[in-house]
Amino acid sequence: MFEPDSALPEPISPEAPRPFVDLVQEFSQFGQSSTQVSEGEIPYLINEFWTAGQRQAHSIHEVSYRACFKPQLPEFFITRLTKAGDAVYDPFMGRGTTPVQAALLGRRPIGNDINPLSVLFTRPRLEPPAVTEVARRLDQIKWDEGEIDQPDLLAFYSTRTLRHIGALRKWLIERAPLTGTPDPVDDWIRMVAINRLSGHSPGFFSVYTLPPNQAVSAQSQRRINERRGQTPPDRDVKALILKKTASLLSDGPMASHPPSLLTTGTAQSTPAIASGSVQLVVTSPPFLDIVQYAEDNWLRSWFAGIDVTSVAIAHHRTEVGWQHMVRDTLTELARVVQPGGHVAFEVGEVRNGKVLLERLVWDAAEGLPFDRLFVMVNQQEFTKTANCWGVKNNAKGTNTNRIVVLQRNERGTPGVPAQRERR
Ligand SMILES: C[S@@+](CC[C@H](N)C(=O)[O-])C[C@H]1O[C@@H](n2cnc3c(N)ncnc32)[C@H](O)[C@@H]1O
């Protein structure tokens, strides 16, 4: 049974801006003793701040999305920098790790992503139905009346399975249209089905293929089938949805939390989110090394009735282009985060550590109404220290999260006299 906040430090009220030194002490109390290093003007804190094993994440997080972070990351910041009822936001929410963890901890979940699938992944898990309701709804679907309108998909599915997927897809497109507020049980079933469409085990609707967050084309799948000598077997779509539902809900119900706000659009412009309404942002932008979100998600988008070519995800291949995107995002975050609130901006290692993205983020925040506190490097046990600096960083298996931590100051805040502004 999940118990929000148990065995964790008292949450910190974000009301008053906190001195840098206090935050350093609180963060370093977590895990082993922390190393502080100053590289140029950037203070780095290096520690095993959280590990995947030390506190198991709630089962409801177990949906697959490319480049998602572990729930322990947002949990670390949410428990330390907010209290129950505060708003926690992720402008690049992906599968919704931050808003889901915020809800589990009784905070107000706010999320945005340019990919319309993100709302479909996140919304149902914020208000999950009971397993019995899901079972009842699945019994109403006329599984054998499904049609095959995409014969190419027979590379992944048997004829019978594809008919069943067709029946479910039709039911959802008619009953739970993408615009408006869908029935929560249908919304849940769609989320689970999207996550079972294709994968590498019998728990998925498809024959063996790549992991579920990297759908290959039908043509590539035919080649995989030939190479492996495999034919798509019949799968029980209804039973697999029920099984995954039970597994997602196995750690108990969602905590009660304030109403959520989820939007689809660019992180750089989020008019639906009120100015000064957010206490904490925990986020991870798309990285320089390109993940093809639209291509990876074509099968999921087909199922949901999303035109994948309409999703305008800009790719930033150069450091300068990427830094502009980050700057524009931070400018918008300066509007939505209230004075005293924090931003934890996670970047991964790219290009074998030759590009240190955290430094680009740090520089992108220059001149914005944020105090740049430090960069945290969550160093897993097997990570060599040298890897933190991008030195001799070709070793495989390196896995560090680098998080730029910012605090909104009072500059540019309506109603704050200029002389009170700090810089
Ligand atoms: C690294 S992933 C975030 C994963 C997320 N932390 C999670 O745990 O699932 C980056 C996300 O940014 C989204 N994205 C890319 N460009 C965007 C933009 N300009 N505005 C909003 N979202 C964007 C992608 O669709 C992707 O979901």
Side-chain angles (χ1 to χ4, degrees), residues 94-266:
R95 66 173 178 170
T97 317
T98 293
V100 169
Q101 188 59 39
L104 285 165
L105 294 165
R107 276 60 168 177
R108 177 171 194 222
I110 305 184
N112 170 75
D113 199 286
I114 202 154
N115 185 348
L117 282 169
S118 287
V119 169
L120 302 188
F121 283 157
T122 308
R123 183 178 55 205
R125 289 181 297 136
L126 295 175
E127 307 292 342
V131 184
T132 47
E133 285 181 277
V134 176
R136 265 201 304 275
R137 184 64 49 86
L138 289 171
D139 279 342
Q140 292 170 16
I141 297 169
K142 306 212 173 346
W143 295 98
D144 292 325
E145 291 178 13
E147 285 168 13
I148 296 180
D149 45 20
Q150 285 265 85
D152 249 18
L153 295 180
L154 291 167
F156 296 92
Y157 309 110
S158 73
T159 304
R160 183 168 181 272
T161 306
L162 189 52
R163 278 193 192 290
H164 288 191
I165 293 171
L168 180 59
R169 179 171 182 265
K170 186 161 176 279
W171 170 279
L172 293 171
I173 286 175
E174 281 170 11
R175 301 235 333 183
L178 292 175
T179 50
T181 312
D183 175 278
V185 181
D186 288 330
D187 207 24
W188 175 272
I189 291 172
R190 172 169 47 208
M191 180 274 297
V192 176
I194 287 174
N195 279 283
R196 298 289 93 190
L197 278 178
S198 67
H200 48 297
S201 81
F204 296 94
F205 305 157
S206 71
V207 67
Y208 174 91
T209 181
L210 290 192
N213 50 12
Q214 304 168 49
V216 296
S217 66
Q219 195 183 10
S220 308
Q221 185 59 35
R222 280 192 289 275
R223 280 199 296 272
I224 294 175
N225 294 350
E226 268 168 40
R227 209 172 46 242
R228 294 174 59 92
Q230 63 183 21
T231 312
D234 282 345
R235 302 271 201 230
D236 189 336
V237 170
K238 185 171 133 184
L240 289 177
I241 291 174
L242 263 184
K243 188 166 174 220
K244 182 66 181 174
T245 297
S247 150
L248 284 167
L249 298 176
S250 60
D251 281 347
M254 171 52 72
S256 74
H257 57 82
S260 61
L261 173 61
L262 302 177
T263 59
T264 300
T266 160

Side-chain angles (χ1 to χ4, degrees), residues 8 10 22 55 98 164 206 308 388 414:
L8 283 166
E10 280 295 299
D22 282 8
R55 212 176 110 83
T98 293
H164 288 191
S206 71
V308 83
C388 295

Side-chain angles (χ1 to χ4, degrees), residues 249-314:
L249 298 176
S250 60
D251 281 347
M254 171 52 72
S256 74
H257 57 82
S260 61
L261 173 61
L262 302 177
T263 59
T264 300
T266 160
Q268 294 90 318
S269 170
T270 51
I273 303 174
S275 300
S277 62
V278 167
Q279 276 75 39
L280 172 68
V281 171
V282 187
T283 195
S284 166
F287 301 148
L288 263 179
D289 280 358
I290 306 302
V291 173
Q292 302 289 356
Y293 292 100
E295 284 81 346
D296 286 344
N297 288 310
W298 72 268
L299 185 58
R300 293 170 157 197
S301 298
W302 163 78
F303 181 79
I306 295 168
D307 172 11
V308 83
T309 60
S310 71
V311 183
I313 300 183

